[in-house]
Amino acid sequence: ENDHQSLHIQAADEAYSLGEGNILETYLNQEKILAIAKQTKADAIHPGYGFLSENASFAARVAKAKLIFVGAPIKAIELMGQKDAAKRFMAKHQVPVVPGYQEQNQAIEHLLNEAEKIGYPVLIKAAAGGGGKGMRIVNDSAQFHEQLTLAQREAKASFGDDTVILEKYLNEPRHIEVQIMADMHGKVLHLFERDCSIQRRYQKIIEEAPATHMTTALREKITQAAIDAAKAIDYVGAGTIEFLLDKQQNFYFMEMNTRLQVEHPITEMITGVDLVELQLQVAQGEKIKLEQKQIKIHGHAIETRIYAEDCDNEFLPATGKIERLHWPQADENVRIDTGVAKDATITSFYDPMIAKLIVHAQNRDLALKKLIQAINLTAINGIKNNLDYLSQLLQTQAFQQAQINTHFITNNSPFKAISPSIEVWLLATLFFLLYCRQRAETQFNTSHGSSPWFAYDHFRINLVPSQNVTLEIADQKKTLPVIFAENQFKIIDANQIYHLQGTLDADYLQAELNGQKYQLRYYYKEARLYLYHRDFRCLAIFPELKVAGQPKDEAMQAMQSPLPGTITAIYTKVGDSVETGQNLMVIEAMKMQHTIIAPRDGAIKNIFYQVGDMVEEGMELIEFESEKEAK
């Protein structure tokens, strides 16, 4: 019911409610889904990307109900769902794996000894999971016990299983995955590879296909290894074999996703093959008609994931209502996959991804240019998002030169703000002038409206009508002198003269700058102007229009929930003395955990919630007092 206005409901010919509640009661409720399938006399169930797509027990129940599960065989799901068993299996079938420990003995001392054998740094990973859950990097033995406890707790909460495996942590590898498709008649094809190295907290942000710096020999080896892996488990359907590629071009099996991946559109764009159509054909028992030699790479495709998140506050998930929404024009080379529309509310129930923006071009340089333009033309207002962050990331020299690996975000953040061009300053200033004129006309549109006293032209007796406009863009401040002329404005900056005129409607700024015309989509709220153009996107702030607010108590903010979510752990109690930076509480939401820490030395006066409670953003969690106050 939380999704009754979502786009997937509007797109469906028929839609059946899974009721109220969390995902355990709705999208993970196997009985409800099977009951609806029976009610509608469905032939098959497609499990999508997540939720039940890799759930062996659900696949078994679908088969028992004499329905077709449009996914992998049950045995493959079971085997690949356990990372430890999967790695042992692949090693047995000569598929290279990362050195590590994948056995059943989970005693702390035994795991510590195995970590010493592997050599630090070591990666602790949940055996039953993915998506970065239950994953911790350990640099030395002193950290091992604490990081193991955190990984096991997160694994238990996410997957119901706290079993972990250990792996040698590779220094700055690339994350390469190979798309495979197999039918029930023994044919297994690969559809080349994707590079998914750009990640934050092990969540992918940008994917591209094909991978850069991939020699023909290496591509043949890694795709053949993927085919061998699929054949070894008698695979059927769409799947992805994921590898880590080190600096010496050695690759190692990491895991297999026994489902369609979120980033599958970039593979479709470079091969021209509809993967979902193939999934359905294979599920019906048809033979794949394509031959491997028919599948070719055409151009380059890049996908970005647009998230509702606060990039200035540790990328915490954001919630709220989308007040304005505009996408670039979609065509055969620009694709927008989204589940939201204007006025939709982003909640804490699901992953914070708003959309995927995918582009295709003849080569990587053109694809990158097209993607940046598409991002610049995308407007999502009313909720914090990562569009500006993506635009900056794509324009870094490292990304432009394809110098990417799984440490890319760490090595390239924070990004240096891109200095705005003079055109951006001038167009933002023009908006300010037109907005002030429009506001003046609205406020004084009375019988005295024609009076010169109410005109916004800065008329002065014996003086040139002028005004200084101050604005901030990209953390830079600039003051531009404006001279009012008939039906236009004149600005002089760095000995250059600029003539501007234009009009404002509800969505667009129509501007003319020294004879060049611009049409810019804009969004304005509370002294903040967002301008969107194919060559730039910018946020301009007008200090003159700001409304003064109350000063923020930073200590008080630290004790408030930074996001809506569930309390999963509390490390302190009323009366405890705590030190600055000490962990106090953990909140989980949207596939991530956030730790509340003490803002200063002091004592806990009150704790307002218990483990398991839901909290909203901004709610006070803990009443905190300094040591001086406590005394």
Side-chain angles (χ1 to χ4, degrees), residues 170-206:
L170 300 179
N171 185 32
E172 299 187 348
R174 293 168 67 195
H175 184 148
I176 305 294
E177 59 186 33
V178 178
Q179 176 71 56
I180 60 100
M181 183 68 73
D183 64 21
M184 299 176 187
H185 308 280
K187 179 181 280 189
V188 181
L189 301 175
H190 74 78
L191 292 94
F192 300 103
E193 79 288 340
R194 303 184 283 255
D195 191 320
C196 305
S197 300
I198 309 296
Q199 303 176 12
R200 191 184 60 252
R201 299 192 188 104
Y202 305 106
Q203 294 290 317
K204 299 168 185 174
I205 301 174
I206 296 177

Side-chain angles (χ1 to χ4, degrees), residues 563-627:
L563 74 170
T566 304
I567 305 292
T568 58
I570 299 176
Y571 302 126
T572 188
K573 61 182 184 298
V574 174
D576 281 357
S577 293
V578 297
E579 298 178 350
T580 302
Q582 183 175 329
N583 293 345
L584 305 179
M585 181 182 288
V586 175
I587 301 173
E588 182 170 333
M590 296 182 177
K591 297 174 71 175
M592 69 163 287
Q593 292 187 334
H594 180 76
T595 302
I596 303 298
I597 62 174
R600 57 179 180 243
D601 294 350
I604 304 301
K605 188 175 182 180
N606 207 344
I607 300 174
F608 298 109
Y609 295 94
Q610 298 177 348
V611 172
D613 287 349
M614 290 282 294
V615 295
E616 293 298 323
E617 182 179 359
M619 298 298 291
E620 187 175 2
L621 303 170
I622 296 173
E623 189 175 359
F624 183 85
E625 57 186 358
S626 67
E627 286 185 333

Side-chain angles (χ1 to χ4, degrees), residues 70-83:
V70 186
I74 297 167
K75 288 184 179 179
I77 297 174
E78 290 175 336
L79 178 59
M80 293 297 107
Q82 291 292 329
K83 288 183 170 57

Side-chain angles (χ1 to χ4, degrees), residues 479-500:
T479 299
L480 292 169
V482 180
I483 298 172
F484 289 71
E486 188 175 352
N487 296 323
Q488 66 172 240
F489 308 99
K490 184 167 70 173
I491 295 176
I492 302 175
D493 181 73
N495 297 319
Q496 292 289 321
I497 300 175
Y498 301 95
H499 298 274
L500 297 99

Side-chain angles (χ1 to χ4, degrees), residues 199-486:
Q199 303 176 12
R200 191 184 60 252
R201 299 192 188 104
Y202 305 106
Q203 294 290 317
K204 299 168 185 174
I205 301 174
I206 296 177
E207 303 99 349
E208 54 184 311
T212 59
H213 310 302
M214 182 70 67
T215 65
T216 301
L218 178 57
R219 176 171 288 129
E220 288 177 354
K221 287 180 181 179
I222 202 168
T223 53
Q224 187 59 52
I227 289 175
D228 292 343
K231 286 182 175 179
I233 57 172
D234 298 321
Y235 197 74
V236 174
T240 309
I241 316 293
E242 306 205 2
F243 299 94
L244 289 176
L245 180 68
D246 68 18
K247 293 179 179 179
Q248 290 72 43
Q249 302 295 286
N250 300 308
F251 60 88
Y252 305 95
F253 171 83
M254 185 171 61
E255 64 183 9
M256 180 178 188
N257 287 291
T258 53
R259 58 176 168 85
L260 196 68
Q261 291 276 77
V262 173
E263 59 272 20
H264 78 275
I266 55 176
T267 295
E268 293 185 329
M269 282 187 151
I270 66 165
T271 61
V273 176
D274 187 326
L275 293 172
V276 179
E277 181 181 16
L278 271 184
Q279 271 192 302
L280 296 173
Q281 291 172 353
V282 166
Q284 291 184 147
E286 296 179 19
K287 292 182 179 180
I288 297 176
K289 296 176 182 177
L290 277 172
E291 298 298 332
Q292 187 66 65
K293 62 183 180 181
Q294 294 178 279
I295 305 173
K296 307 288 185 183
I297 295 176
H298 303 283
H300 199 91
I302 312 176
E303 172 181 297
T304 58
R305 302 191 187 196
I306 300 171
Y307 287 106
E309 60 186 9
D310 187 349
C311 299
D312 297 322
N313 187 20
E314 299 181 13
F315 297 93
L316 291 179
T319 59
K321 184 179 179 181
I322 296 177
E323 297 174 0
R324 288 275 185 94
L325 181 64
H326 174 75
W327 302 112
Q329 182 64 44
D331 56 36
E332 62 181 5
N333 291 311
V334 177
R335 171 172 166 174
I336 300 107
D337 286 6
T338 185
V340 301
K342 180 180 176 293
D343 295 329
T345 298
I346 304 298
T347 70
S348 61
F349 294 111
Y350 314 117
D351 184 285
M353 184 160 47
I354 295 172
K356 301 179 298 178
L357 183 55
I358 311 110
V359 302
H360 175 258
Q362 293 176 348
N363 56 54
R364 187 178 189 268
D365 289 345
L366 289 174
L368 184 53
K369 182 178 180 181
K370 183 177 291 188
L371 180 57
I372 292 169
Q373 290 183 343
I375 288 175
N376 288 342
L377 291 171
T378 300
I380 302 174
N381 301 115
I383 187 167
K384 292 179 179 178
N385 59 76
N386 67 336
L387 280 165
D388 290 335
Y389 177 81
L390 289 171
S391 180
Q392 285 187 317
L393 187 155
L394 293 168
Q395 293 181 72
T396 59
Q397 184 178 2
F399 193 87
Q400 298 272 338
Q401 296 177 357
Q403 298 171 354
I404 56 180
N405 54 58
T406 56
H407 290 224
F408 183 89
I409 296 296
T410 303
N411 294 340
N412 290 278
S413 293
F415 302 117
K416 183 180 179 181
I418 298 169
S419 184
S421 66
I422 184 61
E423 287 80 11
V424 175
W425 289 105
L426 293 169
L427 291 167
T429 302
L430 177 62
F431 170 87
F432 175 89
L433 297 167
L434 295 174
Y435 172 79
C436 290
R437 174 184 286 174
Q438 199 174 76
R439 188 175 63 170
E441 290 173 352
T442 301
Q443 289 175 344
F444 301 110
N445 189 19
T446 64
S447 57
H448 302 291
S450 59
S451 169
W453 299 108
F454 297 113
Y456 183 74
D457 57 9
H458 287 260
F459 173 79
R460 299 290 186 273
I461 296 176
N462 297 327
L463 291 173
V464 175
S466 64
Q467 176 188 7
N468 287 336
V469 176
T470 299
L471 65 162
E472 300 170 13
I473 303 177
D475 296 325
Q476 300 175 42
K477 183 177 282 189
K478 197 177 186 74
T479 299
L480 292 169
V482 180
I483 298 172
F484 289 71
E486 188 175 352

